[in-house]
């Protein structure tokens, strides 16, 4: 056998080995890709400050929301989805942590999540997911919300708010090679609104809470601008859905929601806490389906973890609603809860509230209502002055309220004094205080223990023009450090 023959045989053998290795490697890559397809991509589109009643698919025929309406036709619409707080940051932190605002620490706007909290980034990353934020953030600190990719909103000419970063989203869809969770967070329809010339009130839909403003020119103009901003957000959503349908597979779970209602902002009525919630997942969710089960923003992260094949942290308040997406009409919660703090926000004043809601009934306690103000006053005149001011800002809000939401969905008729409903009131009240205790709430059932809350960037007795808060000159700088419950200290003391 010649040397040339030996060389030829050797080279052929090497080629066969390399070919086998290449096929094996290709097979491994194919298996990996197949494994990825078993874990769906997850996209959560979040609008900003939009009432649940202002969508075509939720019954408003005068607002233009064709993209959301079509999404509902393709998936499942939830009739009873809730956030616990009608403010931006507290609402978003629930989505990202699976915990109510009192437990995660961000119950006052512009304040950080507690330092020992594990967010969606770490939970989903551990399950093989990229975790992305595209748009408005409004949550902190960065070491808790450590996104794998984060793209800021993009300025756009001729519109009042920045746009979501569509180019970054499209590039990512084209190039991503692993499952991902992406939160697309719009700045619409949050004000500043469009300037609509000569608006006609007949083009708008009014509800029991704003029917009396139908002929108020200033209100009508603002509402018309709000409707126009809703249309602009619908346009953004149309762009996003086109990108999803072009670049991603059917194994993509798409959720649309809005962080809270603008008409009930800061409060605990459904107009603030009830949110739109629509889910599309081709070949899994039955098109044009609806669910009346109670779900909550704290349920979102546990559901994502469940879908990804993991187990939710037992410290989370939420529960997975994957069974509902799979078609089983099974209760997730008997009750959902809501909180309110009017400190550290616009027009700050001391008026904390808590609520508990079943499918039919809601119980609210306003801890510093005018009718119980005297019971809350203590031996410190400087604190009493702010307690009194807070109560007087809400003279028509009762200490306790009970609503039958089947007959009174807009919560216009307080049934707290109806004898036949006493047992229902007592049951809800007891459960509310049990929940508050489990949350480590600083409020209790008794009187005289309402704290004055503060954070480093905010003091109740000081003017704060950036946050549009003001205080009477006679009350400026009258509170001492020992008079405050410092938010950071409260966060650190929680279990």
């Amino acid at each position: 056998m010649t040397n040339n023959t030996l060389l030829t045989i050797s080279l052929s053998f090497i080629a066969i080995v390399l070919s086998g290795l290449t096929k094996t490697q290709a097979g491994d890559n194919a298996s990996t890709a197949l494994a990825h397809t078993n874990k769906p991509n997850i996209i959560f589109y979040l609008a900003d400050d939009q009432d649940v009643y202002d969508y075509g698919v939720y019954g408003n025929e005068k607002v233009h929301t064709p993209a959301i309406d079509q999404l509902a036709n393709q998936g499942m619409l939830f009739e009873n989805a809730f956030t616990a707080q009608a403010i931006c940051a507290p609402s978003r932190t629930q989505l990202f942590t699976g915990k109510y605002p009192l437990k995660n620490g961000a119950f006052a706007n512009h304040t950080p999540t507690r330092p020992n909290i594990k967010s969606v980034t770490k939970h989903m990353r551990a399950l093989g997911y990229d975790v992305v934020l595209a748009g408005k953030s409004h949550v902190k600190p960065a070491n808790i919300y450590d996104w794998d990719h984060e793209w800021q909103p993009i300025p756009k000419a001729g519109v009042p708010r920045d746009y979501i970063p569509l180019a970054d989203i499209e590039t990512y869809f084209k190039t991503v090679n692993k499952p991902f969770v992406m939160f697309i967070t719009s700045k619409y329809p949050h004000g500043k609104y469009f300037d609509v010339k000569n608006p006609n009130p007949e083009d708008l839909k009014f509800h029991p809470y704003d029917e009396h403003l139908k002929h108020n020119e200033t209100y009508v103009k603002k509402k018309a601008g709000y409707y126009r901003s809703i249309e602009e957000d619908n346009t953004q959503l149309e762009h996003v859905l086109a990108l999803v349908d072009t670049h991603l597979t059917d194994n993509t779970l798409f959720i649309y929601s809005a962080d809270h209602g603008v008409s009930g902002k800061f409060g605990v009525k459904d107009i603030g806490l009830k949110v739109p919630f629509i889910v599309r997942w081709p070949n899994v969710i039955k098109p044009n389906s609806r669910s009346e089960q109670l779900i909550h923003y704290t349920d979102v992260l546990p559901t994502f973890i469940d879908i990804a094949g993991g187990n939710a942290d037992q410290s989370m308040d939420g529960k997975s609603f994957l069974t509902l997406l799979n078609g089983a009409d099974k209760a997730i919660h008997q009750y959902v809860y809501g909180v309110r703090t009017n400190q550290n926000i616009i027009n700050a004043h001391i008026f904390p509230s808590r609520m508990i809601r079943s499918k039919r009934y809601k119980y609210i306690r306003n801890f510093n209502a005018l009718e119980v103000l005297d019971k809350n006053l203590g031996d410190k005149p400087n604190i009493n002055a702010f307690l009194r001011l807070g109560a007087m800002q809400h003279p028509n809000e009762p200490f306790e309220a009970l609503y039958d939401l089947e007959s009174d969905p807009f919560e216009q008729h307080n049934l707290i004094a109806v004898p036949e409903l006493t047992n229902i009131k007592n049951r809800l009240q007891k459960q509310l205080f049990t929940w508050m205790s489990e949350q480590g709430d600083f409020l209790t059932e008794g009187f005289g223990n309402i704290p004055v809350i503060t954070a480093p960037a905010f003091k109740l007795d000081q003017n704060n023009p950036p946050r549009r808060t003001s205080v009477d000159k006679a009350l400026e700088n009258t509170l001492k450090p020992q008079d405050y419950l410092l938010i950071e200290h409260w966060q650190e003391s929680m279990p």
Side-chain angles (χ1 to χ4, degrees):
M1 187 177 291
T2 65
N3 289 337
N4 287 339
T5 301
L6 288 171
L7 178 61
T8 300
I9 294 172
S10 299
L11 290 173
S12 298
F13 177 75
I14 291 170
I16 291 169
V17 172
L18 288 175
S19 175
L21 288 173
T22 301
K23 288 178 180 178
T24 301
Q25 186 178 33
D28 288 345
N29 288 340
S31 297
T32 303
L34 183 61
H36 285 165
T37 63
N38 292 332
K39 290 187 175 183
N41 300 317
I42 301 172
I43 300 171
F44 195 111
Y45 187 106
L46 188 67
D48 196 348
D49 279 28
Q50 184 169 345
D51 293 348
V52 68
Y53 307 111
D54 291 332
Y55 295 86
V57 75
Y58 279 100
N60 188 338
E61 72 284 359
K62 295 189 176 182
V63 72
H64 189 67
T65 56
I68 294 100
D69 301 347
Q70 179 61 31
L71 199 64
N73 289 334
Q74 297 169 343
M76 178 177 288
L77 179 147
F78 284 83
E79 303 275 13
N80 288 306
F82 291 87
T83 178
Q85 203 161 353
I87 318 178
C88 187
S91 185
R92 290 158 195 262
T93 58
Q94 297 165 79
L95 293 173
F96 300 151
T97 68
K99 300 181 179 184
Y100 276 95
L102 289 164
K103 189 182 284 187
N104 76 48
F107 70 97
N109 218 14
H110 305 282
T111 56
T113 299
R114 287 169 53 218
N116 62 340
I117 296 290
K118 189 177 177 182
S119 83
V120 61
T121 56
K122 294 179 175 62
H123 282 289
M124 295 304 290
R125 190 178 295 129
L127 294 168
Y129 277 74
D130 248 10
V131 190
V132 183
L133 181 70
K136 178 178 177 177
S137 173
H138 215 295
V139 294
K140 56 185 178 182
N143 66 320
I144 291 176
Y145 302 106
D146 55 333
W147 312 101
D148 292 306
H149 306 278
E150 181 177 1
W151 308 304
Q152 299 297 320
I154 305 298
K156 182 178 179 182
V159 295
R161 305 282 286 172
D162 294 343
Y163 247 51
I164 55 175
L166 288 167
D168 293 308
I169 293 169
E170 181 172 23
T171 299
Y172 185 81
F173 286 173
K174 287 180 177 179
T175 58
V176 64
N177 59 5
K178 64 187 298 189
F180 65 86
V181 174
M182 180 182 289
F183 292 94
I184 301 176
T185 48
S186 172
K187 282 194 167 187
Y188 284 91
H190 190 296
K192 172 182 177 183
Y193 299 133
F194 281 86
D195 182 11
V196 176
K197 306 297 183 183
N198 303 314
N200 183 354
E202 297 305 318
D203 295 332
L204 310 171
K205 187 164 186 172
F206 295 86
H207 302 281
Y209 56 82
D210 68 351
E211 185 71 35
H212 64 290
L213 295 170
K214 187 172 183 178
H215 301 292
N216 183 309
E217 291 184 5
T218 301
Y219 182 81
V220 168
K221 185 172 181 62
K222 182 178 179 180
K223 188 159 187 173
Y226 161 65
Y227 271 35
R228 173 65 185 86
S229 291
I230 290 173
E231 291 182 19
E232 196 68 24
D233 191 55
N234 188 88
T235 299
Q236 287 190 125
L237 179 61
E238 287 176 343
H239 291 318
V240 169
L241 290 173
L243 295 177
V244 170
D245 294 341
T246 299
H247 300 296
L248 302 178
T249 71
D250 276 353
N251 196 23
T252 299
L253 172 68
F254 193 102
I255 300 176
Y256 173 89
S257 190
D259 61 349
H260 58 76
V262 64
S263 298
K265 196 163 185 170
F266 310 136
V268 289
K269 288 191 173 182
D270 276 12
I271 187 55
L273 298 184
K274 193 172 187 179
V275 294
F277 204 93
I278 299 167
V279 189
R280 183 184 77 173
W281 192 359
N283 305 318
V284 177
I285 294 176
K286 182 181 178 181
N288 200 28
S289 55
R290 291 182 176 241
S291 174
E292 294 185 358
Q293 297 296 343
L294 289 172
I295 65 167
H296 197 271
Y297 267 14
T298 57
D299 300 328
V300 168
L301 180 53
T303 303
F304 288 0
I305 292 171
D306 192 8
I307 289 170
N311 296 305
D313 190 324
Q314 291 301 306
S315 69
M316 290 182 186
D317 295 310
K319 300 177 182 178
S320 172
F321 54 81
L322 179 56
T323 54
L324 297 179
L325 303 183
N326 285 328
D329 187 25
K330 181 180 178 181
I332 306 299
H333 297 286
Q334 183 178 6
Y335 305 112
V336 293
Y337 304 88
V339 303
R340 169 203 227 176
T341 176
N342 285 298
Q343 297 176 62
N344 202 40
I345 57 172
I346 297 169
N347 301 322
H349 43 266
I350 302 173
F351 199 81
S353 306
R354 303 288 183 265
M355 83 85 180
I356 178 172
R357 189 198 196 280
S358 66
K359 272 190 179 181
R360 179 170 181 177
Y361 292 102
K362 174 185 284 190
Y363 171 79
I364 297 173
R365 175 166 287 199
N366 297 307
F367 287 80
N368 195 36
L370 195 58
E371 64 188 276
V372 296
L373 171 63
D374 289 345
K375 296 179 181 179
N376 287 323
L377 300 178
D379 56 3
K380 293 184 176 182
N382 56 337
I383 294 178
N384 289 343
F386 286 95
L387 288 168
R388 187 173 289 107
L389 184 63
M392 293 175 67
Q393 289 286 329
H394 301 270
N396 298 319
E397 294 203 44
F399 173 55
E400 293 182 299
L402 180 69
Y403 298 104
D404 182 343
L405 299 162
E406 283 187 6
S407 61
D408 181 25
F410 292 101
E411 298 164 73
Q412 301 290 298
H413 308 291
N414 185 3
L415 305 177
I416 199 68
V418 176
E420 292 80 5
L421 298 177
T422 299
N423 288 339
I424 291 172
K425 181 203 78 169
N426 291 340
R427 183 178 74 243
L428 293 175
Q429 184 187 86
K430 181 180 179 180
Q431 181 58 37
L432 175 63
F433 282 104
T434 297
W435 175 81
M436 288 169 58
S437 177
E438 293 169 349
Q439 289 285 306
D441 202 334
F442 50 80
L443 293 175
T444 60
E445 190 168 359
F447 298 100
N449 54 6
I450 299 176
V452 180
I453 300 167
T454 189
F458 171 82
K459 298 289 185 294
L460 192 63
D461 63 345
Q462 296 176 14
N463 287 307
N464 194 328
R467 295 188 185 172
R468 289 179 280 173
T469 59
S470 60
V471 62
D472 189 275
K473 199 164 185 67
L475 296 177
E476 280 190 84
N477 302 311
T478 55
L479 295 172
K480 310 302 179 187
Q482 60 269 27
D483 295 328
Y484 283 111
L485 171 65
L486 184 64
I487 287 175
E488 276 75 4
H489 291 170
W490 173 76
Q491 290 173 329
E492 292 169 3
S493 68
M494 289 183 67

